[in-house]
Amino acid sequence: MAMSDVQTGTVTTKVPARLDRLPWSRWHWMIIIGLGTVWILDGLEVTIIGNLSAQLAKEGSGLEITQTQVAGTAGALYVAGACLGALFFGWLTDKFGRKKLFLITMVVYLIATAMTALSFSAWWFFLFRFLTGFGIGGEYAAINSAIDELIPSRHRGRIDIIINGSYWLGAAGGALLTVPLLNNFAVNIGWRIAFGLGVVLGLAILLVRRHVPESPRWLFIHGRDEEAEKLVDEVEERVEREKGVQLEEPSQSMTIHQRKSIGFGQIAHTMVARYPKRTILGFSLFVGQAFLYNAITFGYAQILSTFFKIDTNTGYFFAVIAVGNFLGPLLLGPLFDSVGRIPMISGTYIGSGVLLLGTAWLFNQGVLTAVTLTACWCVVLFFASAGASAAYLTVSEIFPMETRAMAIAFFYAIGTFVGGVAGPLVFSNLVESGKPGDTALAFSIGASLMIAAGLVEMFLGVKAERRGLEDIAEPLSAAPAQS
């Protein structure tokens, strides 16, 4: 159906209510497996590069590169690529649809990761780390918007948080993979195999993802209401057959002025003029978690190498941290739907910040070993991981449908740029000094930003638990319902 840039008509639909009242089914599991697994890839990428930093810097690795360049420069370029990719692909996701973009961004990731494995010089390695990040950043916008629009509102909080937390399954896998790859292969081979494994996993995800549908919410706003209705009809039939139930017709409907796309001007106006408090909230949550995570994730192997002389078995330590990170969202996730968003988000942010300040003090006193530091981090990140996952949930549900992907991209890009580009660069230099006080200072900066973000959530947070997306933020295209 051809569509112009102007409004294409007005339609009254029950699609959002029909999707929200669906019981949990195999169809929902397909969405989670096809879309949610991308965070495992991101975790794999970031962790592999962190744990390979010492190995890549060794003579004979095939690259003339220092450990600081790997943890600092390459890490910062990956994050910069992710920021730009989120903005670029986020805009395209709102314009051309969720499905088209979550297929394209995965292909970008696959090509860039394969090229990283074939690196022959530092500049090539830097270039394709940037492009890998570009693809992953685009994934965040396309995937989070699609998941939120396809998952029933009563499950949305826990599912979104657990999926975002699955990053740490990839991190654990990446950490454990690097141990045999570093110890059993030549110095110029092991790291190439590590990146090659990312390509294999990405191809498997791409095959599953082909069966995930376009968001019906996106379809009916963009003039494809018949397609949206047909898609929801098919899903309902599948669920009714599986569950052996007859679904009741919901009473709620909404009327939409259909349109093809929304310009940057209206997106900016929506966020700054219509929802200024929500914009401050999103920015605060993202800066806090981005600085903490990007700084420490890229630098943890460097801490072990610099202070505890551990450089080939860092993967074991990081895998323990990664497990703590995944257990946080897994065990605390349901509470974000039952206890509520505001108490859980503020609690996890402030709690992890206070615990991290304690860890910084102990580290500065010189009383921690590699094992006890890892144990402290595991506890800190149990709470921080649930909070950080909730940051993605928050910005994906508190802005109107038409700007959802762009809102996710905007906060991810700004927060990650502030915390993620500055973080690794500052952190690697602080650790390189070899002074415990410098590393404790980096810990304290991350902790302070987490506590500040938790306080912002207490005052500006949105009670979004168990509410439909259209109830939390009315679509810009919405018209008064016809009686």
Side-chain angles (χ1 to χ4, degrees), residues 116-145:
T116 303
L118 301 175
S119 296
F120 55 87
S121 68
W123 71 264
W124 179 280
F125 184 79
F126 291 149
L127 171 64
F128 285 103
R129 288 310 293 159
F130 173 83
L131 290 174
T132 302
F134 195 70
I136 286 286
E139 287 274 293
Y140 276 100
I143 301 303
N144 263 320
S145 51

mmCIF file of all heavy atoms in Angstrom, residues 116-145:
data_model
loop_
_atom_site.group_PDB
_atom_site.id
_atom_site.type_symbol
_atom_site.label_atom_id
_atom_site.label_comp_id
_atom_site.label_asym_id
_atom_site.label_seq_id
_atom_site.Cartn_x
_atom_site.Cartn_y
_atom_site.Cartn_z
ATOM 1 N N THR A 116 36.288 -7.756 12.162
ATOM 2 C CA THR A 116 37.145 -7.586 13.350
ATOM 3 C C THR A 116 38.040 -8.804 13.526
ATOM 4 O O THR A 116 39.227 -8.681 13.840
ATOM 5 C CB THR A 116 36.286 -7.390 14.623
ATOM 6 O OG1 THR A 116 35.416 -6.270 14.438
ATOM 7 C CG2 THR A 116 37.159 -7.132 15.836
ATOM 8 N N ALA A 117 37.476 -9.989 13.313
ATOM 9 C CA ALA A 117 38.252 -11.223 13.460
ATOM 10 C C ALA A 117 39.397 -11.298 12.454
ATOM 11 O O ALA A 117 40.390 -11.989 12.693
ATOM 12 C CB ALA A 117 37.329 -12.434 13.292
ATOM 13 N N LEU A 118 39.256 -10.576 11.339
ATOM 14 C CA LEU A 118 40.291 -10.600 10.291
ATOM 15 C C LEU A 118 41.262 -9.422 10.398
ATOM 16 O O LEU A 118 42.050 -9.180 9.486
ATOM 17 C CB LEU A 118 39.623 -10.573 8.909
ATOM 18 C CG LEU A 118 38.653 -11.740 8.609
ATOM 19 C CD1 LEU A 118 37.963 -11.535 7.273
ATOM 20 C CD2 LEU A 118 39.408 -13.072 8.630
ATOM 21 N N SER A 119 41.225 -8.691 11.516
ATOM 22 C CA SER A 119 42.064 -7.492 11.679
ATOM 23 C C SER A 119 43.552 -7.798 11.484
ATOM 24 O O SER A 119 44.062 -8.811 11.974
ATOM 25 C CB SER A 119 41.864 -6.885 13.071
ATOM 26 O OG SER A 119 40.558 -6.422 13.241
ATOM 27 N N PHE A 120 44.231 -6.905 10.773
ATOM 28 C CA PHE A 120 45.674 -7.052 10.536
ATOM 29 C C PHE A 120 46.459 -5.840 11.038
ATOM 30 O O PHE A 120 47.683 -5.830 11.031
ATOM 31 C CB PHE A 120 45.944 -7.259 9.036
ATOM 32 C CG PHE A 120 45.371 -6.165 8.170
ATOM 33 C CD1 PHE A 120 46.090 -5.003 7.916
ATOM 34 C CD2 PHE A 120 44.098 -6.297 7.625
ATOM 35 C CE1 PHE A 120 45.556 -3.991 7.132
ATOM 36 C CE2 PHE A 120 43.557 -5.277 6.844
ATOM 37 C CZ PHE A 120 44.288 -4.128 6.599
ATOM 38 N N SER A 121 45.738 -4.775 11.453
ATOM 39 C CA SER A 121 46.414 -3.597 11.997
ATOM 40 C C SER A 121 45.470 -2.898 12.965
ATOM 41 O O SER A 121 44.267 -3.161 12.981
ATOM 42 C CB SER A 121 46.812 -2.630 10.884
ATOM 43 O OG SER A 121 45.658 -2.058 10.293
ATOM 44 N N ALA A 122 46.041 -1.987 13.761
ATOM 45 C CA ALA A 122 45.244 -1.309 14.781
ATOM 46 C C ALA A 122 44.113 -0.489 14.170
ATOM 47 O O ALA A 122 42.987 -0.508 14.675
ATOM 48 C CB ALA A 122 46.146 -0.410 15.639
ATOM 49 N N TRP A 123 44.392 0.218 13.049
ATOM 50 C CA TRP A 123 43.346 1.079 12.476
ATOM 51 C C TRP A 123 42.175 0.251 11.974
ATOM 52 O O TRP A 123 41.023 0.644 12.108
ATOM 53 C CB TRP A 123 43.896 1.970 11.347
ATOM 54 C CG TRP A 123 44.261 1.256 10.069
ATOM 55 C CD1 TRP A 123 45.489 0.812 9.706
ATOM 56 C CD2 TRP A 123 43.368 0.904 8.986
ATOM 57 N NE1 TRP A 123 45.447 0.182 8.471
ATOM 58 C CE2 TRP A 123 44.153 0.234 8.003
ATOM 59 C CE3 TRP A 123 42.002 1.079 8.756
ATOM 60 C CZ2 TRP A 123 43.609 -0.243 6.817
ATOM 61 C CZ3 TRP A 123 41.466 0.585 7.566
ATOM 62 C CH2 TRP A 123 42.262 -0.057 6.619
ATOM 63 N N TRP A 124 42.425 -0.935 11.400
ATOM 64 C CA TRP A 124 41.357 -1.825 10.924
ATOM 65 C C TRP A 124 40.516 -2.310 12.107
ATOM 66 O O TRP A 124 39.288 -2.316 12.059
ATOM 67 C CB TRP A 124 41.983 -3.014 10.187
ATOM 68 C CG TRP A 124 41.014 -4.037 9.662
ATOM 69 C CD1 TRP A 124 40.403 -5.032 10.369
ATOM 70 C CD2 TRP A 124 40.550 -4.164 8.307
ATOM 71 N NE1 TRP A 124 39.592 -5.782 9.545
ATOM 72 C CE2 TRP A 124 39.663 -5.275 8.271
ATOM 73 C CE3 TRP A 124 40.803 -3.466 7.129
ATOM 74 C CZ2 TRP A 124 39.028 -5.684 7.105
ATOM 75 C CZ3 TRP A 124 40.169 -3.887 5.961
ATOM 76 C CH2 TRP A 124 39.299 -4.978 5.954
ATOM 77 N N PHE A 125 41.225 -2.695 13.186
ATOM 78 C CA PHE A 125 40.559 -3.160 14.403
ATOM 79 C C PHE A 125 39.652 -2.063 14.957
ATOM 80 O O PHE A 125 38.496 -2.310 15.290
ATOM 81 C CB PHE A 125 41.618 -3.552 15.433
ATOM 82 C CG PHE A 125 41.065 -4.133 16.706
ATOM 83 C CD1 PHE A 125 40.638 -5.456 16.769
ATOM 84 C CD2 PHE A 125 40.972 -3.351 17.858
ATOM 85 C CE1 PHE A 125 40.123 -5.995 17.944
ATOM 86 C CE2 PHE A 125 40.463 -3.876 19.034
ATOM 87 C CZ PHE A 125 40.038 -5.198 19.074
ATOM 88 N N PHE A 126 40.156 -0.826 15.044
ATOM 89 C CA PHE A 126 39.372 0.300 15.551
ATOM 90 C C PHE A 126 38.133 0.559 14.681
ATOM 91 O O PHE A 126 37.036 0.790 15.182
ATOM 92 C CB PHE A 126 40.211 1.579 15.609
ATOM 93 C CG PHE A 126 41.298 1.561 16.645
ATOM 94 C CD1 PHE A 126 42.478 2.266 16.443
ATOM 95 C CD2 PHE A 126 41.161 0.842 17.831
ATOM 96 C CE1 PHE A 126 43.482 2.258 17.400
ATOM 97 C CE2 PHE A 126 42.168 0.829 18.792
ATOM 98 C CZ PHE A 126 43.333 1.540 18.570
ATOM 99 N N LEU A 127 38.336 0.531 13.355
ATOM 100 C CA LEU A 127 37.240 0.808 12.423
ATOM 101 C C LEU A 127 36.091 -0.176 12.614
ATOM 102 O O LEU A 127 34.922 0.212 12.728
ATOM 103 C CB LEU A 127 37.741 0.755 10.975
ATOM 104 C CG LEU A 127 36.663 0.812 9.882
ATOM 105 C CD1 LEU A 127 35.934 2.156 9.914
ATOM 106 C CD2 LEU A 127 37.278 0.562 8.493
ATOM 107 N N PHE A 128 36.417 -1.465 12.689
ATOM 108 C CA PHE A 128 35.342 -2.462 12.756
ATOM 109 C C PHE A 128 34.788 -2.654 14.168
ATOM 110 O O PHE A 128 33.679 -3.152 14.326
ATOM 111 C CB PHE A 128 35.783 -3.774 12.102
ATOM 112 C CG PHE A 128 35.776 -3.662 10.602
ATOM 113 C CD1 PHE A 128 36.953 -3.501 9.902
ATOM 114 C CD2 PHE A 128 34.576 -3.640 9.907
ATOM 115 C CE1 PHE A 128 36.940 -3.341 8.512
ATOM 116 C CE2 PHE A 128 34.546 -3.482 8.527
ATOM 117 C CZ PHE A 128 35.731 -3.334 7.826
ATOM 118 N N ARG A 129 35.529 -2.210 15.197
ATOM 119 C CA ARG A 129 34.910 -2.133 16.525
ATOM 120 C C ARG A 129 33.838 -1.040 16.512
ATOM 121 O O ARG A 129 32.771 -1.191 17.090
ATOM 122 C CB ARG A 129 35.960 -1.825 17.605
ATOM 123 C CG ARG A 129 36.898 -2.969 17.927
ATOM 124 C CD ARG A 129 36.212 -4.262 18.195
ATOM 125 N NE ARG A 129 35.428 -4.245 19.421
ATOM 126 C CZ ARG A 129 34.432 -5.076 19.698
ATOM 127 N NH1 ARG A 129 34.070 -5.996 18.834
ATOM 128 N NH2 ARG A 129 33.778 -4.994 20.842
ATOM 129 N N PHE A 130 34.147 0.069 15.843
ATOM 130 C CA PHE A 130 33.181 1.166 15.718
ATOM 131 C C PHE A 130 31.929 0.676 14.986
ATOM 132 O O PHE A 130 30.799 0.916 15.420
ATOM 133 C CB PHE A 130 33.809 2.336 14.960
ATOM 134 C CG PHE A 130 32.834 3.443 14.629
ATOM 135 C CD1 PHE A 130 32.512 4.417 15.562
ATOM 136 C CD2 PHE A 130 32.233 3.498 13.373
ATOM 137 C CE1 PHE A 130 31.603 5.428 15.259
ATOM 138 C CE2 PHE A 130 31.318 4.506 13.058
ATOM 139 C CZ PHE A 130 31.007 5.467 14.010
ATOM 140 N N LEU A 131 32.112 -0.040 13.872
ATOM 141 C CA LEU A 131 30.971 -0.495 13.071
ATOM 142 C C LEU A 131 30.177 -1.606 13.781
ATOM 143 O O LEU A 131 28.961 -1.700 13.620
ATOM 144 C CB LEU A 131 31.445 -0.963 11.693
ATOM 145 C CG LEU A 131 31.947 0.165 10.775
ATOM 146 C CD1 LEU A 131 32.527 -0.405 9.493
ATOM 147 C CD2 LEU A 131 30.821 1.148 10.461
ATOM 148 N N THR A 132 30.864 -2.439 14.570
ATOM 149 C CA THR A 132 30.147 -3.442 15.374
ATOM 150 C C THR A 132 29.222 -2.728 16.356
ATOM 151 O O THR A 132 28.050 -3.084 16.508
ATOM 152 C CB THR A 132 31.133 -4.341 16.143
ATOM 153 O OG1 THR A 132 32.009 -4.991 15.222
ATOM 154 C CG2 THR A 132 30.384 -5.398 16.957
ATOM 155 N N GLY A 133 29.757 -1.705 17.019
ATOM 156 C CA GLY A 133 28.940 -0.910 17.929
ATOM 157 C C GLY A 133 27.781 -0.237 17.206
ATOM 158 O O GLY A 133 26.667 -0.142 17.743
ATOM 159 N N PHE A 134 28.018 0.223 15.972
ATOM 160 C CA PHE A 134 26.987 0.882 15.165
ATOM 161 C C PHE A 134 25.788 -0.044 14.971
ATOM 162 O O PHE A 134 24.633 0.362 15.133
ATOM 163 C CB PHE A 134 27.594 1.260 13.810
ATOM 164 C CG PHE A 134 26.789 2.252 13.020
ATOM 165 C CD1 PHE A 134 26.681 3.571 13.420
ATOM 166 C CD2 PHE A 134 26.150 1.866 11.847
ATOM 167 C CE1 PHE A 134 25.943 4.492 12.684
ATOM 168 C CE2 PHE A 134 25.408 2.770 11.096
ATOM 169 C CZ PHE A 134 25.304 4.094 11.519
ATOM 170 N N GLY A 135 26.062 -1.318 14.668
ATOM 171 C CA GLY A 135 24.982 -2.297 14.498
ATOM 172 C C GLY A 135 24.279 -2.615 15.800
ATOM 173 O O GLY A 135 23.050 -2.657 15.875
ATOM 174 N N ILE A 136 25.056 -2.803 16.884
ATOM 175 C CA ILE A 136 24.473 -3.130 18.187
ATOM 176 C C ILE A 136 23.615 -1.975 18.710
ATOM 177 O O ILE A 136 22.533 -2.175 19.271
ATOM 178 C CB ILE A 136 25.583 -3.489 19.208
ATOM 179 C CG1 ILE A 136 26.151 -4.872 18.898
ATOM 180 C CG2 ILE A 136 25.072 -3.421 20.637
ATOM 181 C CD1 ILE A 136 25.250 -6.041 19.251
ATOM 182 N N GLY A 137 24.073 -0.736 18.514
ATOM 183 C CA GLY A 137 23.303 0.425 18.960
ATOM 184 C C GLY A 137 21.949 0.494 18.277
ATOM 185 O O GLY A 137 20.923 0.794 18.907
ATOM 186 N N GLY A 138 21.930 0.189 16.981
ATOM 187 C CA GLY A 138 20.671 0.155 16.248
ATOM 188 C C GLY A 138 19.731 -0.911 16.770
ATOM 189 O O GLY A 138 18.505 -0.742 16.792
ATOM 190 N N GLU A 139 20.303 -2.012 17.224
ATOM 191 C CA GLU A 139 19.509 -3.098 17.785
ATOM 192 C C GLU A 139 18.714 -2.641 19.005
ATOM 193 O O GLU A 139 17.548 -2.982 19.168
ATOM 194 C CB GLU A 139 20.443 -4.245 18.210
ATOM 195 C CG GLU A 139 21.033 -5.032 17.069
ATOM 196 C CD GLU A 139 20.093 -6.138 16.636
ATOM 197 O OE1 GLU A 139 19.876 -7.073 17.400
ATOM 198 O OE2 GLU A 139 19.550 -6.046 15.525
ATOM 199 N N TYR A 140 19.352 -1.856 19.863
ATOM 200 C CA TYR A 140 18.686 -1.439 21.096
ATOM 201 C C TYR A 140 17.359 -0.749 20.817
ATOM 202 O O TYR A 140 16.347 -1.016 21.463
ATOM 203 C CB TYR A 140 19.600 -0.510 21.905
ATOM 204 C CG TYR A 140 20.589 -1.243 22.762
ATOM 205 C CD1 TYR A 140 21.908 -1.412 22.360
ATOM 206 C CD2 TYR A 140 20.201 -1.790 23.975
ATOM 207 C CE1 TYR A 140 22.816 -2.099 23.143
ATOM 208 C CE2 TYR A 140 21.100 -2.478 24.765
ATOM 209 C CZ TYR A 140 22.413 -2.639 24.347
ATOM 210 O OH TYR A 140 23.295 -3.327 25.117
ATOM 211 N N ALA A 141 17.359 0.171 19.843
ATOM 212 C CA ALA A 141 16.134 0.920 19.538
ATOM 213 C C ALA A 141 15.081 0.015 18.908
ATOM 214 O O ALA A 141 13.911 0.013 19.310
ATOM 215 C CB ALA A 141 16.453 2.081 18.615
ATOM 216 N N ALA A 142 15.483 -0.763 17.898
ATOM 217 C CA ALA A 142 14.528 -1.602 17.171
ATOM 218 C C ALA A 142 13.949 -2.695 18.066
ATOM 219 O O ALA A 142 12.752 -2.978 18.028
ATOM 220 C CB ALA A 142 15.214 -2.227 15.947
ATOM 221 N N ILE A 143 14.812 -3.293 18.893
ATOM 222 C CA ILE A 143 14.379 -4.437 19.688
ATOM 223 C C ILE A 143 13.514 -4.023 20.876
ATOM 224 O O ILE A 143 12.446 -4.579 21.111
ATOM 225 C CB ILE A 143 15.608 -5.232 20.198
ATOM 226 C CG1 ILE A 143 16.452 -5.711 19.026
ATOM 227 C CG2 ILE A 143 15.167 -6.397 21.053
ATOM 228 C CD1 ILE A 143 15.737 -6.546 18.027
ATOM 229 N N ASN A 144 13.969 -3.019 21.638
ATOM 230 C CA ASN A 144 13.192 -2.616 22.817
ATOM 231 C C ASN A 144 11.798 -2.127 22.439
ATOM 232 O O ASN A 144 10.816 -2.408 23.122
ATOM 233 C CB ASN A 144 13.938 -1.519 23.599
ATOM 234 C CG ASN A 144 14.726 -2.087 24.773
ATOM 235 O OD1 ASN A 144 14.263 -2.975 25.467
ATOM 236 N ND2 ASN A 144 15.924 -1.593 24.978
ATOM 237 N N SER A 145 11.706 -1.377 21.332
ATOM 238 C CA SER A 145 10.387 -0.879 20.921
ATOM 239 C C SER A 145 9.498 -2.038 20.487
ATOM 240 O O SER A 145 8.311 -2.092 20.834
ATOM 241 C CB SER A 145 10.523 0.157 19.794
ATOM 242 O OG SER A 145 11.323 -0.316 18.744
#
